[in-house]
Amino acid sequence: MFRACFFLVLIASAGAAEISFSRQVAPLLIDQCVECHRADKAKGGYRLDTVERMLKAGDSEAAPVKAGKPEESELYRLIATHDEDDRMPKKADALPEKEVKLIRDWIASGAKVDVADVKAALRSVVPEQQAKTPEKYPQPLPVTALALNPAGDELGTSGYHEVLVWEAGTGKLKARLGGMPERVLALAWPAVGQMAVAGGVPGRSGEVWLVNPAQPKERKRLVSARDCVLAMVASPDGKLLACGGADNQVRCFELPSGKLKWQIEPHADWIMGMAFSADGKHIATASRDRTAKRIDAGSGQIEATYTGHESAVLSVVFSADSQDTLSGDVQGEIRRWDGNGDLKKDGTLRPGGRNEVLAMGFAEGDNLVTAAGDGAILSVDVKARKVKGKVSRHEDRVNVLLVRRAEKGVRIISGCHDGRVRINEMEKAEPVLQFVASPGW
Ligand code: HEC
């Protein structure tokens, strides 16, 4: 699915050496622990906001870090325990195995602290992010995620360990939000000061962050999963955020707090695509297990399972009246379902031949827009089951599609595997704007 070589070149310099507290352990503690263990909120009488405090026991009086002895270190014991009531971080997913192992190895190898001032705030001992994100990209990076701000004048796109923010009118780069997942695979921008960023590293980690684009240091990690988060949607009113991915889980959060509302495992394989209904009541999921589902957004109850696709389902969308769900698969078939989970009469269509349906959106009424593996973006009349026209034609697969109804008509924003972003208007053959969404290109 991804062009791995580009990423490998960039990672090659990382190397495996002695564990660095300041570079590897401290950032993890800051993301996952300091929120509840600091001056104004010392849960369990324990603080983790300076090295000195980290080493001092809390209410339990058990040593948090005993050099060379992870099993006797309360800090390690509590992140590694299988007892969910005791486990840290409290009320959240367990840390990914890789991170638990990192802390174990750090303590086992002597818990060395490469910090000059042990009284300094933990945040200040973390060196500035190593230059993971190149100033200019060696080659265009595939566009795997897009989000428009609520006003519609700024566009966020996926970068390497960063989110890039562009002026939607001109394609001018406005900001780079660093410190993000290596691969950014889904974006949502439900409110002015709130962007959600999802992604990870395949087979290793999945992350979702809430970040204020104007103040990128204000960020909160909502998810640490075992594998990539592949899809994410915000409700139309911006109050809920749902995500799903390669751990087959769907998680739903309240916004702006980021509090977990529910979490379920609706599918037997990866969740590839998600949609929110216009009325905000339902979430649809597309999965590699060849089904799509409709879930009650408030409770996390599964309302309907759509079975019948013969290949992995990649994309889903709701009809404008929130009644029907459409799902698109690897072999180019789109199926239209009613709320009970039944296929509608004349409910299958194949507008783009055998090309995988990677993304869909509704322009108006029965006018569906589809994006496919061959680069075609089509406008399809769902009721009449026929292609009305070609919106655009990219040179490579179209990974993401945003359909935005604005005063001046419908805008279709697409992100291509070759790194290009295009903004089209429904009735115009030429794009309103096209640019390569990689700095330096
Ligand atoms: C959401 C809040 C929250 C987060 C996040 C959190 N903790 Fe805790 N922590 C608590 C609470 C509450 C206690 C008190 C014991 C209990 O209720 O289980 C505690 C207790 C502890 C203790 C025992 C202190 C003592 O001596 O009694 C340690 C050690 C600890 N946490 C480490 C961590 C680490 C390491 C992380 C990050 C991986 C973390 N905590 C994240 C809430 C949190």
Side-chain angles (χ1 to χ4, degrees), residues 239-240 251-254 258-263 297-300:
K239 291 194 174 144
L240 293 177
R251 297 168 171 87
C252 184
F253 300 90
E254 287 166 10
K259 189 170 155 252
L260 183 68
K261 190 173 168 70
W262 50 261
Q263 177 172 356
S299 66

Side-chain angles (χ1 to χ4, degrees), residues 118-130:
V118 294
K119 290 187 195 315
L122 211 52
R123 268 176 217 288
S124 70
V125 308
V126 177
E128 281 295 306
Q129 279 279 329
Q130 291 136 295

Side-chain angles (χ1 to χ4, degrees), residues 26-100:
L28 201 158
L29 301 176
I30 291 168
D31 288 354
Q32 301 282 0
C33 318
V34 172
E35 182 190 350
C36 295
H37 294 288
R38 55 179 197 220
D40 52 342
K41 196 175 169 191
K43 295 277 178 166
Y46 181 53
R47 283 173 60 179
L48 260 169
D49 50 350
T50 69
V51 170
E52 190 181 40
R53 300 263 180 198
M54 173 188 75
L55 299 172
K56 220 189 224 153
D59 294 344
S60 72
E61 295 181 9
V65 178
K66 250 191 183 174
K69 303 213 165 101
E71 310 300 340
E72 293 169 31
S73 301
E74 193 68 356
L75 188 154
Y76 172 73
R77 199 184 66 75
L78 289 176
I79 60 169
T81 178
H82 294 291
D83 182 341
E84 286 198 21
D85 293 336
D86 284 353
R87 191 181 61 211
M88 297 293 146
K90 197 96 181 163
K91 291 192 206 134
D93 290 340
L95 294 182
E97 251 170 70
K98 195 184 61 170
E99 299 186 349
V100 174

